[in-house]
Structure formats: C-alpha cells, structure tokens
Amino acid sequence: MPRAIWTGSISFGLVNVPVKLFTATEDRSVGFHQFEPESGERIRYQRVTEQSGQEVAYGDIVKGYELEDGSHVLITPEELEAVEPGKSRTIDIEDFIDLDDVDPVYFDKTYHLAPADQSAAKPYALLREAMRDSNRVAIARFVMRAKQRLAAIRVAAVDGDGDEAGAGDVLVLETMHFGDEVRSPAGIREMQVLDDGIELTDRERAAATSLVESLTSDWEPDRYTDTYRERVLDLVARKADGERIVTEKAEEPTASVTDLMAVLEASVNEARQKRGETPQAAGSSSSGTDYASMSKDELYEEAQRRDIDGRSKMTKDELVAALSEAALAEAS
C-alpha cells in the first residue's frame, strides 16, 4: 500500500483542498555493492580529514561553500536551519497558465495528488474539472523536506494511456526547475551549425515525413522496457548458477552513410517491414512501378507529369530516387 510522503492542502483563492502527496515513479536501476576482488571483502567508505586521515563523526561535520578564490565559508547546521523556508503544509497556487505553454524541460519529478479524506473529494474534483475545461496548469510553491519547491499541478489520465480525460482522472504535481536552473541551448557551440543556411528539398521533407508516419503508433507504456536492466539481471542469475561468462569483443561501428535520401528510404522500408508491411524495393514505387527499368526519357516524362522540382538537371539515378520518394509520399 503506497504511503503519503507529504500531507497538507492546495490553496487557490480562498479555497483549500486537503491533499496527500504520493510518489508516482520509482527508480528500478540495478544496484551493486563494491568488493575487493581477491579477498571478496566488502568495501566501505569513511569520512576522513584530508590532512590527518582521521575519521570524523557525521554529527561533527559542517558544510563549506567555496568562493571564487578557492577558500571556503563554513556553515553550521544551526545557521542553515535559521534561513530555511520554514515548515509549511500549503501548496500555494500563484498562477494558472495554458498547459501548452509549459516546456517539459522545466519538469523534474512527478507525484500523485490525492484528496486527504472524503470531505476533500468535492473541492478536489472541482479544481480538477476547472483546470481540465480551461486547459490550464497551476503553478505553485510549497515546502517539502526543508526546501522550497516550484511545482506545476495538472490533470492526468489514471491509466496513463493518453486517452481523453475522464471523470476518474487525477491531479498530478510536477516539481519544477526554477528559471535560472534551465540552461539555454544558445550557448552550445555545436548548435551554431543550424544557422548556416541549411536547405531541405521537397523530396527530403516528404521522405522524412513518410518515415515519421511509418513509425507513428498509439502510446503504450508497457511496450518500452529497460532492456539493459533485463540483461544485467540475466547476467546476475547466470553467474549465481555458476555459469562461466565469456565476454565478446564489441563490433566495430559501421561507416556513416552520407546519402540522406538513401538512409531515409531504407529507414521507411525497415519500419514498414517491422509492422508486417511489404518493404518497397529500391527504385520502385509503392504502386509497384519499376522506375529503375525505365529509360531516362520515360523517367523525365513521368517526373514532368508529377511536377518534380529540378528534374531537368537530374541524372537517371536521381530521377529514379525522386519519383520513388514522390510515390512513397503519396502512398503514406
């Protein structure tokens, strides 16, 4: 049975909604202890001073904030406690904003908000319905574990399948990063290549769109599992059974393909094959037309009929690729 990690109330205007906070996610990474391989003895960490090497009790440790010159300002637990935000049992809503305006980069950790008792059910449902009808998310502040948190409260589907929200849906609280904690991509040097006048052809756009459509499906969370964790647990089980593990040399990465159109076409065919559809042969259209067997004059006439841009300067192979992609775009 899940246990609440925080109890208080949501405050908006003069309305208070008693709620309980429950963690919505769990870390299922495989954990390990550290051992000395020869003796098999467990490795433990100790808190020791840098110069003397003597162990220091946890209660005797103070914190130090490093200044620009490398020196430190020492702060005691009592001094930190004096500037803490203070205990609070209220999630204070400051604003309601459009849900579509919230960039997910600001979200940190997700919690379920439940009504604290039967008397809280009606105001809870009222807040939920008002937010859903207006497509709004509430921005709030509250204190948890002696730290002030910025949070977003939104309506979420109970089953998490992305279907249209229903009467049984719940409020979810997302702790958020403050504005000065989110880094702008403008300072990333590698992003500057996007400003170098990249030109995308209609054929490339059509092929990329076709690939996106080929990979589009309904959201089913159970389809996505941590395959690495599964392999680690399988390794642990095999070793526990006494199996001798032989490690194989990793395969060398293949050379990158620079022909973007060829990569897109191959990707679309691979996606279709995974879905049980018949992959399209290179140089053939989705309707079965074998462009590769046509003469250049025939290809040009077909390109003219389809109003393919730049056809007069294309080689035969380029005409075949352009017509194939045009037919692929039509089929999708």
Side-chain angles (χ1 to χ4, degrees), residues 1-212:
M1 189 72 176
R3 296 181 60 182
I5 64 167
W6 187 93
T7 302
S9 63
I10 300 173
S11 173
F12 67 110
L14 299 177
V15 179
N16 283 293
V17 185
V19 292
K20 292 183 178 181
L21 201 64
F22 297 83
T23 54
T25 61
E26 60 178 322
D27 183 2
R28 302 196 64 189
S29 301
V30 181
F32 292 96
H33 296 298
Q34 293 183 325
F35 289 82
E36 200 280 320
E38 298 298 330
S39 64
E41 292 185 24
R42 177 85 176 269
I43 294 175
R44 302 283 184 177
Y45 287 95
Q46 296 177 320
R47 299 178 178 86
V48 298
T49 57
E50 188 175 23
Q51 298 296 327
S52 68
Q54 294 182 346
E55 186 174 0
V56 181
Y58 181 78
D60 295 333
I61 296 175
V62 297
K63 298 181 183 293
Y65 182 86
E66 186 174 2
L67 302 178
E68 292 184 0
D69 62 3
S71 62
H72 290 78
V73 176
L74 301 185
I75 307 292
T76 67
E78 293 75 20
E79 290 169 332
L80 274 179
E81 186 177 349
V83 297
E84 284 180 355
K87 294 183 179 180
S88 173
R89 288 297 172 188
T90 306
I91 301 173
D92 295 306
I93 294 178
E94 298 184 3
D95 299 290
F96 287 96
I97 64 175
D98 195 291
L99 178 61
D100 298 330
D101 289 341
V102 184
D103 191 323
V105 72
Y106 285 92
F107 292 151
D108 182 24
K109 192 171 182 180
T110 308
Y111 298 87
H112 292 309
L113 276 169
D117 49 40
Q118 186 62 41
S119 65
K122 185 171 182 177
Y124 179 101
L126 182 62
L127 176 60
R128 179 193 63 192
E129 297 304 306
M131 292 175 59
R132 181 163 56 204
D133 292 345
S134 60
N135 193 43
R136 294 289 191 269
V137 58
I139 304 299
R141 294 176 194 258
F142 74 114
V143 176
M144 182 171 67
R145 295 168 184 155
K147 182 179 178 181
Q148 187 184 72
R149 316 272 178 160
L150 183 67
I153 302 173
R154 61 181 178 85
V155 180
V158 171
D159 54 9
D161 61 4
D163 291 341
E164 184 177 352
D169 295 336
V170 300
L171 294 177
V172 164
L173 181 144
E174 307 268 4
T175 54
M176 302 178 71
H177 300 289
F178 288 97
D180 59 358
E181 294 178 325
V182 176
R183 295 177 176 176
S184 169
I188 301 175
R189 178 171 52 84
E190 287 78 2
M191 291 290 189
Q192 295 174 3
V193 298
L194 297 175
D195 299 326
D196 292 341
I198 297 175
E199 295 183 1
L200 301 176
T201 66
D202 291 340
R203 291 190 296 127
E204 290 169 339
R205 289 177 181 272
T209 300
S210 180
L211 175 58
V212 171

Side-chain angles (χ1 to χ4, degrees), residues 230-265:
E230 292 170 355
R231 291 196 299 270
V232 170
L233 291 176
D234 178 65
L235 171 64
V236 170
R238 287 158 55 198
K239 291 207 70 173
D241 290 339
E243 181 178 338
R244 181 173 177 270
I245 305 300
V246 178
T247 57
E248 298 179 359
K249 184 179 179 181
E251 295 182 2
E252 292 293 330
T254 57
S256 61
V257 181
T258 57
D259 187 343
L260 183 57
M261 285 302 302
V263 174
L264 287 170
E265 186 176 80

Side-chain angles (χ1 to χ4, degrees), residues 290-322:
D290 186 3
Y291 291 125
S293 65
M294 297 170 63
S295 68
K296 185 176 180 180
D297 289 339
E298 291 172 329
L299 291 168
Y300 182 79
E301 289 178 4
E302 180 66 13
Q304 192 173 30
R305 185 182 71 81
R306 289 180 173 271
D307 195 23
I308 302 293
D309 291 336
R311 57 186 177 274
S312 61
K313 297 180 181 180
M314 290 182 183
T315 64
K316 180 180 178 180
D317 289 341
E318 289 173 336
L319 285 167
V320 169

